[in-house]
Amino acid sequence: MPPASSTQRSSRPTRRGARPAANSRPWDDPTLAPVVLVRGPEGLLAERAVDGVLRLARERDAEVEKAELDGGTYAGGQLAVAASPSLFGESSLVVVRGAEGATEDLVADVVGYVAAPDPETVVVVVHGGGQRGKKMLDAILASGAPVLECDAIAKDADKVQFVSAEFRAARRRADAAAVRALVDALGNDLRELASACAQLVADTAGTITEGVVDRYYGGRVEATGFKVADAAVAGDAGGAVALLRHALATGADPVPIVAALALRLRTLARVAAIRGGAVTARELGLQDWQVRNAQRDLSRWTPEGLAAAIGAVAQADADVKGGGRDPVYAVETAVLAIARSRR
């Protein structure tokens, strides 16, 4: 899939701990300048931001020469050589990648270059985050150079927005259920999400539906602790255990899975208290959707079953934190106990 155009708007969560630059702009709104900073931890977006700057440079001069430097192995003087005018006068674009691992030579050379950049050359500094090379970053920011922000896309809603933007950029319609299914299947990796969008666009026709996504990626549903908890609370013992074993096989730890089970059951207990008129949702700090979902689940739970399930999770919590010999056995036993406690 080609890089997103400047009209595409993907998810741009607010950065924490980093002061926005005065000349900040989103990764998908590139611009040309003697020096451009591409900043942020999301590698895919950083690559697209660089591609966007290169596209603009080639629109201005089809013969532009591109050079790449590596921040971690940079030796003094390389920037000056790469950014200097060529023998035949072609303009240049220099990409300094991995500036978060900058050598001292790179920091010194960028600080010196920013003070008097070549107006015919575009130097793109790609920094993945962190404090290394701060003097270099400060010099770039102080110069007023544009900063293309490539913030991490970690929130579920941001991933949904990203996938929707991918399909819009490809001029393909995908219904909400399809977008949701794709995020559920591949939500841990932004590159996989982007690649999946490109594959679906290339291999299918018409509206992309949940059925289409399921046909391609149905076996990749992410087995998180919360999905295990959802299946167990729904009484699906086989599905819950299958999700649990998949989660454990792919590196999940029993402790957060037990925490997800406990959170799910606590929400049921709190909503049960609301139904009894003891408290309100506002007093418990619950959102409307949490109350609706829990009320639906509670229709198949008795107070005795809920108490038994909570007791099983409490025992599992003690076992996975050192009280038992086999954490995996402990969490699987709790999952089965929850599923069997449902009416």
Side-chain angles (χ1 to χ4, degrees):
M1 179 179 295
S5 71
S6 61
T7 59
Q8 177 185 346
R9 290 295 177 266
S10 71
S11 169
R12 300 181 197 114
T14 302
R15 288 161 55 91
R16 293 184 177 180
R19 178 172 52 86
N23 212 14
S24 270
R25 47 203 302 141
W27 64 269
D28 53 356
D29 186 20
T31 187
L32 291 180
V35 178
V36 177
L37 175 62
V38 174
R39 177 175 68 174
E42 200 65 76
L44 173 66
L45 303 187
E47 290 174 11
R48 290 185 174 186
V50 172
D51 289 343
V53 175
L54 178 60
R55 184 179 68 252
L56 293 178
R58 285 180 172 161
E59 287 174 1
R60 186 175 70 180
D61 180 0
E63 303 300 320
V64 66
E65 292 187 353
K66 180 188 175 188
E68 296 217 7
L69 303 174
D70 178 65
T73 59
Y74 180 89
Q78 288 183 315
L79 178 59
V81 172
S84 61
S86 70
L87 182 63
F88 300 102
E90 294 95 342
S91 58
S92 299
L93 183 141
V94 181
V95 181
V96 182
R97 298 192 186 272
E100 68 278 5
T103 63
E104 292 183 5
D105 284 339
L106 176 62
V107 172
D109 284 0
V110 171
V111 169
Y113 183 83
V114 167
D118 185 334
E120 301 302 317
T121 299
V122 178
V123 174
V124 183
V125 178
V126 184
H127 194 284
Q131 292 300 307
R132 192 164 182 177
K134 184 175 184 302
K135 183 178 179 182
M136 170 182 64
L137 294 178
D138 288 345
I140 296 173
L141 294 174
S143 74
V147 181
L148 301 182
E149 303 286 3
C150 304
D151 302 322
I153 296 182
K155 293 181 180 179
D156 192 70
D158 294 335
K159 293 173 186 176
V160 168
Q161 189 176 347
F162 174 81
V163 169
S164 299
E166 292 288 287
F167 287 130
R168 282 199 305 272
R171 293 179 171 82
R172 284 292 296 278
R173 185 177 182 277
D175 61 35
V179 173
R180 176 73 265 166
L182 196 57
V183 171
D184 284 343
L186 302 168
N188 272 347
D189 191 318
L190 198 68
R191 289 182 186 277
E192 275 199 293
L193 275 176
S195 177
C197 291
Q199 181 181 16
L200 290 170
V201 167
D203 294 355
T204 66
T207 299
I208 297 168
T209 65
E210 184 178 12
V212 171
V213 173
D214 188 62
R215 189 164 68 245
Y216 279 78
Y217 300 105
R220 298 287 302 278
V221 174
E222 203 180 336
T224 64
F226 291 104
K227 288 185 173 62
V228 174
D230 286 344
V233 166
D236 182 5
V241 170
L243 284 168
L244 172 63
R245 290 177 178 172
H246 176 67
L248 294 171
T250 54
D253 187 271
V255 173
I257 293 177
V258 171
L261 295 172
L263 179 62
R264 191 75 165 78
L265 291 173
R266 281 199 302 270
T267 300
L268 289 183
R270 293 159 78 188
V271 173
I274 295 173
R275 291 175 66 181
V279 289
T280 66
R282 183 182 297 274
E283 289 172 334
L284 292 176
L286 295 175
Q287 302 295 319
D288 290 342
W289 64 269
Q290 292 176 300
V291 175
R292 287 195 300 271
N293 289 348
Q295 286 176 335
R296 180 195 62 218
D297 292 331
L298 281 170
S299 65
R300 299 301 301 272
W301 281 84
T302 65
E304 295 77 17
L306 186 56
I310 291 173
V313 172
Q315 181 61 54
D317 185 65
D319 290 344
V320 299
K321 292 178 179 176
R325 294 183 178 180
D326 188 343
V328 172
Y329 173 78
V331 68
E332 186 167 311
T333 299
V335 165
L336 289 171
I338 294 170
R340 291 167 181 164
S341 296
R342 183 177 184 268
R343 185 170 60 189

